[in-house]
Amino acid sequence: MEIIKIERKVLAKNDAIASEIRGKFEENGVFAINMVSSPGSGKTSLVEKIIEYFNGRVNISVIEGDVQTDLDAQRVSAYNVPVVQIITNGGCHLEANLVNDSLKNLDLVQTDLLIIENVGNLVCPAGYDLGEDMKVVVISVTEGDDKPLKYPKMFINSKVLVINKIDLLPYVNCNIEQLKQNALKINPALQVFEISCTSGEGVGKFCDFLESSI
Amino acid sequence: MHELSLAQNILETVRQNVTADELSKVREVVVEIGAFSGVVAESLKFSFEAITSGTELNEAVMTIVDIPFCLKCNDCGSETSTEIPMMLCSICGGINTQILSGDELRVKELKLAEE
Ligand SMILES: Nc1nc2c(ncn2[C@@H]2O[C@H](COP(=O)(O)OP(=O)(O)OP(=O)(O)O)[C@@H](O)[C@H]2O)c(=O)[nH]1
Ligand SMILES: [Mg+2]
Ligand SMILES: [Zn+2]
């Protein structure tokens, strides 16, 4: 048989658009994070906390990714920050072309920190570069301490791990030391923060880290 | 996962790399899948079959090459493969490591029938 060599990444097109987006961010001095987690770990709650913490001192814009509804965008818009909702209509992750299109509705010049809240899913978003500076993976203590071992790719591709809902530690069967150990075995370079969006504990430390990265 | 959309990407790549005449001669599409790419090979093959059956690519089958996870440790020099992809060196506990393989999702080559 005749062989035609291809050697092309299946997601090459996504990667190309992501590079284009990265260029736009650099040009406009935007620091972008891609926030990923299982459904309900507290991504939107953390977005709200970050906005509250900076209280206008840092210009924040938000892109909300959901399978359905603009409920998360509604929550965020109550804080008077620019927010765009992407509805994927069943899609299990955000792709770079969707983010690129949504940038038309944001003023990047006026943005210091762009938070992209991905679709709640610990598998699929891991493979899609959105042009972000870093992926922040959020995991809540109610999910158990074995998640890094079960969803390693997400933890390998993230720079930061936020462990949320630590206010619930007394009530759930989650060993937070084990959780951290598992995560650091998968990716020893992870920066780990322990927070509660409900009590506010640890939120300041995480936000200070974000500010120092901008 | 979203294997159907991946299969569509692969189909597009196939179309871009052969002429219209060659399309019906494609017999094999070889795809490399890394151990922690997150892609379910069977489901990708199924999706590819579903979108090509009854088309010029009817005769094309997808062949999967599995690529294992492999980590190189820059501290002790070892190259290891663990079942769960861990970036912590399982030999010396070093953190100064790099992933050599395991994240692939790549169309490697096409095989065409000759006249
Ligand atoms: N006890 C407790 N509950 C929390 C905390 N953070 C968030 N929650 C609750 O967890 C639920 C889900 O929070 P969201 O912020 O909507 O989670 P999400 O990750 O944005 O969810 P999706 O966008 O649907 O994936 C809500 O009921 C929150 O009030 C926390 O630190 N402690
Ligand atoms: Mg949300
Ligand atoms: Zn080593």
Side-chain angles (χ1 to χ4, degrees):
Chain A
M1 278 207 252
E2 183 195 347
I3 292 182
I4 301 181
K5 287 267 166 223
I6 310 260
E7 305 289 355
R8 180 179 160 94
K9 285 170 95 176
V10 173
L11 296 180
K13 207 162 140 192
N14 184 81
D15 290 351
I17 299 171
S19 306
E20 191 188 315
I21 295 175
R22 193 162 278 122
K24 289 182 193 174
F25 290 163
E26 263 167 35
E27 208 178 289
N28 293 290
V30 175
F31 184 77
I33 63 174
N34 178 358
M35 211 186 267
V36 292
S37 83
S38 317
S41 303
K43 297 179 295 300
T44 311
S45 304
L46 182 54
V47 172
E48 293 170 321
K49 284 288 157 186
I50 295 170
I51 298 169
E52 273 175 19
Y53 183 83
F54 286 124
N55 191 22
R57 196 155 51 78
V58 170
N59 291 319
I60 300 175
S61 297
V62 179
I63 296 176
E64 285 293 338
D66 282 287
V67 172
Q68 279 301 335
T69 82
D70 64 350
L71 291 172
D72 281 359
Q74 284 180 33
R75 278 170 66 181
V76 172
S77 64
Y79 291 80
N80 288 319
V81 299
V83 54
V84 184
Q85 176 78 53
I86 299 175
I87 295 173
T88 63
N89 271 317
C92 44
H93 57 272
L94 287 180
E95 296 193 8
N97 65 327
L98 295 175
V99 172
N100 203 23
D101 288 346
S102 71
L103 291 182
K104 293 180 193 120
N105 301 313
L106 289 174
D107 185 355
L108 290 184
V109 179
Q110 290 299 323
T111 303
D112 305 319
L113 173 63
L114 174 66
I115 308 174
I116 305 170
E117 179 184 337
N118 217 312
V119 177
N121 177 341
L122 221 36
V123 183
C124 308
Y128 289 82
D129 186 3
L130 304 178
E132 73 272 359
D133 290 284
M134 56 166 80
K135 282 195 177 68
V136 174
V137 56
V138 181
I139 182 164
S140 58
V141 299
T142 54
E143 294 163 57
D145 43 43
D146 57 356
K147 288 302 165 289
L149 304 178
K150 288 187 173 172
Y151 302 95
K153 185 173 179 173
M154 191 63 95
F155 289 81
I156 287 175
N157 288 351
S158 297
K159 274 221 171 80
V160 176
L161 164 63
V162 172
I163 303 174
N164 187 30
K165 308 194 189 180
I166 56 170
D167 57 295
L168 297 179
L169 274 174
Y171 313 105
V172 293
N173 202 356
C174 169
N175 181 338
I176 196 163
E177 290 311 316
Q178 186 68 55
L179 170 57
K180 284 193 277 186
Q181 221 180 70
N182 287 342
L184 291 172
K185 248 194 264 177
I186 300 296
N187 180 1
L190 274 174
Q191 292 242 26
V192 185
F193 295 90
E194 299 169 34
I195 71 163
S196 164
C197 289
T198 298
S199 73
E201 193 183 342
V203 170
K205 250 193 193 155
F206 173 63
C207 290
D208 290 343
F209 161 79
L210 278 184
E211 191 169 10
S212 71
S213 314
I214 292 173
Chain B
M1 254 282 204
H2 38 265
E3 277 74 6
L4 181 58
S5 90
L6 296 176
Q8 276 154 349
N9 279 343
I10 293 169
L11 179 59
E12 201 175 309
T13 298
V14 174
R15 289 183 180 278
Q16 282 164 356
N17 282 277
V18 295
T19 63
D21 295 343
E22 286 172 325
L23 213 47
S24 61
K25 293 184 197 148
V26 177
R27 292 290 173 272
E28 228 180 296
V29 178
V30 184
V31 177
E32 295 176 313
I33 296 185
F36 76 98
S37 64
V39 178
V40 183
E42 277 315 308
S43 156
L44 185 64
K45 280 170 80 163
F46 177 82
S47 300
F48 187 75
E49 258 175 49
I51 58 175
T52 53
S53 88
T55 74
E56 308 99 301
L57 282 162
N58 202 26
E59 312 265 318
V61 295
M62 183 179 281
T63 314
I64 306 290
V65 180
D66 291 310
I67 311 233
F69 169 70
C70 185
L71 187 79
K72 180 172 167 64
C73 175
N74 295 322
D75 289 338
C76 72
S78 64
E79 283 182 22
T80 51
S81 184
T82 45
E83 196 180 332
I84 296 173
M86 292 191 301
M87 295 185 71
L88 188 74
C89 175
S90 57
I91 306 289
C92 76
I95 62 171
N96 181 15
T97 59
Q98 69 197 87
I99 292 175
L100 295 182
S101 68
D103 194 25
E104 292 76 7
L105 176 52
R106 202 162 49 200
V107 182
K108 182 168 185 270
E109 61 195 21
L110 308 177
K111 293 186 185 165
L112 274 60
E114 292 173 60
E115 275 145 295

